Amino acid sequence: MTALDVRPAARRGPVARWRILVPAAGLAVIALVSLVGPFFLVDPLDVGAGEPLSGPSGAHLFGVDQYGMDVLSRVVSAGRIDLLLALSASAIALVAGIPLGAFAGYRGGAWDQGLLRVAESFQAFPTMLLAMGVTLALGPSLPNLVAVIAVVNIPLYMRLARSAVIPLREADFVLAARCAGRSTFQIVRQHIVPNIAQVAIAQFSVTCAWAIQVLAGLSFIGIGVRMPTAEWGSMIRQGTDHMVTGQWWLSVFPGLAILLTVLALNQIAAAARRWGGPS
Amino acid sequence: MRMASYLGRRLAYFVVSVLGVLVITFVLTRTLPGNPVYLLAGPLTDQEKVDAATRELGLDRPLPAQFVTYVGDLVHGDLGTSLRTSQPVVDDLASRWPATAELAILAILVAVTWALVVGTLAAVFPRSVFARVADLVGSLGVSVPEFWLATVVILVFFTSLGIAPAPIGRISGTPPGTVTGFYTVDAVLTADWSALRASLAQLLLPVLTLALTTGAPMMRTAREFMTGVLGSPYIRAGRALGIPPARLVVRHALPNALLPVTTMVATMFGYLLGGTVMVEFVFAWPGVGKYAVDSITASDYAPVMAVVVLSAIVYLLVYLVTDLVHLVVDPRSRI
């Protein structure tokens, strides 16, 4: 132990630009490939694409699954459904959760306590298990899956917005607006919500990452997106039947797709948070 | 006096949260597909039988009254009957929970250990290669889906390298005599060393999977907090006084980092319960999680809802205990 670094931790330099550019570029590539890739690849539902269970080769870069479907083509087209569902679920959670939390934090009192307790009750459930329960109750259609993932994430945004609003409640510009006779609703909408946009954006990225994991998890246990539709989680499930016999390409590639996408989203969130944080 | 009022408030929060959880699961249970009336009355039936079944199930009563019955049943341990195993759910859970607890406890112990050691070392040597590797492992660990990691470790350690046993559950061969239901503990108590070896071998991969995914966020928290502590004035003062760096870190800085880590452990516990469900399923681990997934596959909903509601209540309990422990351990919370 030669040097114990005792310089204050808060005195970090400005966020290096590559910290946000690299993951953002990675995510852009993933989104672009999922969007336009399917036009250049074989049909992901074509069961005659190749010899079933044949490994990666020149003709099938990611190999062929047990039904004879091309794994590369399925991984790429699964990106569409995973990204789309995750994005819309996170957007709904944000649009519903931020105003609710802002309202609770601004109003204070019984409203605040009531909404906070509701949010806490939802957060008491392990996310995956709550998602399982709600999916069973609603039935596993695509819109319902979006709803489920949105519901489990709304409390997160509520609490985030609430804690960001409380210090703003007594800020001069808010007091001025109140003196000018603005209603609570107007103040929250015009003055409070724009001020918490930054934390919301960092959280949005994290929520998208979580949404992909939850969606893939639900599909993995068989109540999310179902075969034959290509989805990363259900593809991994498909591969578990063959992993002990060595057909690794069935589940390794869709898993890598999840890992890279989630990693990029998490890194963007981390960079955004540091950018906004105290420097 | 302050402590008593804090304690009272904290317990009140706990009760309110449990009630909230029960309301949520009650609503979910009532919305589940599959009409229980028709299950009871049979497919070929007339209105009279349907009405009788509705009355018998208490579904004609107002919702608040139904809620009270629902909570009463839960309190009396009546979690319904599994259609798949035709056993009361509570009995099914009783026979399966030791498998889950053994896995989860071991996983959290391993996770906390590596998280604290790696997090501390990375904070002490922030510009080293080690810290960069720790960063990478932390980022990957929070991003990797645990069910996929489980399949990958099976591929690597069983299929390719052949150094881990096949993923066929808790033990290959005969389990040790039952004392506690925890195979490792029972094997030690009955001095059955081959069973101990066999059960530890089966635990290796699922524990590795869960410890990596749950330890990653803990490691990041520990590292961040230790970085803050190491930069604080009292550590600098200690360094100026000539206290050896190793002693400074272990005796003076680390105890301070333990508090946020215990909170983190409580938070991760909920995640662990969810993660165990997936990992048990991949490793054919006969615990509560696999029970829930198997029930889902069989459209058998009573066991699933039982696992959902119990996991939330267990989580709230763990959180309550953590807060109470803080009250005792951290003198500041008593002011």
Side-chain angles (χ1 to χ4, degrees), chain A residues 5 117 124 136 213 243 251 266, chain B residues 13 33 127 143 148 159 270 315:
Chain A
D5 202 323
R117 292 287 97 76
L136 288 183
Q213 287 188 318
M243 72 203 162
S251 44
N266 279 340
Chain B
Y13 281 167
R127 283 165 191 77
S143 303
W148 180 69
T159 314
Y315 173 73

Side-chain angles (χ1 to χ4, degrees), chain B residues 103-115 207 211 214 218 265 272:
Chain B
L103 179 60
I105 291 171
L106 215 58
I108 208 114
L109 285 178
V110 176
V112 171
T113 310
W114 86 258
V207 165
T214 51
M218 281 194 258
V265 170
L272 184 68

Side-chain angles (χ1 to χ4, degrees), chain A residues 44-245:
Chain A
L45 301 181
D46 179 10
V47 290
E51 179 68 20
L53 289 178
S54 55
S57 63
H60 302 284
L61 286 176
F62 286 6
V64 180
D65 72 7
Q66 63 263 57
Y67 305 106
M69 300 190 270
D70 181 60
V71 176
L72 171 64
S73 159
R74 288 178 68 74
V75 167
V76 168
S77 81
R80 281 187 177 182
I81 196 160
D82 276 282
L83 289 176
L84 184 72
L85 291 192
L87 213 64
S88 34
S90 310
I92 293 172
L94 180 125
V95 169
I98 293 278
L100 263 177
F103 172 75
Y106 181 75
R107 253 320 256 280
W111 275 101
D112 184 31
Q113 288 300 315
L115 283 169
L116 193 60
R117 292 287 97 76
V118 173
E120 276 176 355
S121 298
F122 272 99
Q123 289 191 303
F125 293 92
T127 314
M128 203 49 227
L129 286 168
L130 179 63
M132 274 163 52
V134 181
T135 311
L136 288 183
L138 296 179
S141 69
L142 290 191
N144 284 351
L145 283 172
V146 171
V148 168
I149 297 170
V151 164
V152 298
N153 280 307
I154 287 175
L156 256 170
Y157 282 107
M158 267 182 66
R159 299 186 69 165
L160 192 77
R162 181 182 170 274
S163 52
V165 162
I166 287 176
L168 288 177
R169 197 160 55 185
E170 303 300 322
D172 287 339
F173 67 93
V174 172
L175 292 178
R178 205 181 301 163
C179 288
R182 294 304 178 96
S183 71
T184 302
F185 176 76
Q186 282 173 318
I187 295 175
V188 168
R189 193 173 58 88
Q190 291 181 343
H191 301 288
I192 305 269
V193 170
N195 274 293
I196 51 183
Q198 182 154 31
V199 275
I201 288 166
Q203 184 59 40
F204 186 73
S205 198
V206 176
T207 319
C208 284
W210 247 110
I212 289 175
Q213 287 188 318
V214 171
L215 177 67
L218 289 175
S219 306
F220 180 78
I221 58 174
I223 51 172
V225 181
R226 300 201 170 179
M227 279 287 292
T229 309
E231 194 280 338
W232 291 331
S234 76
M235 290 178 71
I236 296 174
R237 166 70 177 269
Q238 228 183 302
T240 55
D241 302 337
H242 294 273
M243 72 203 162
V244 284
T245 46

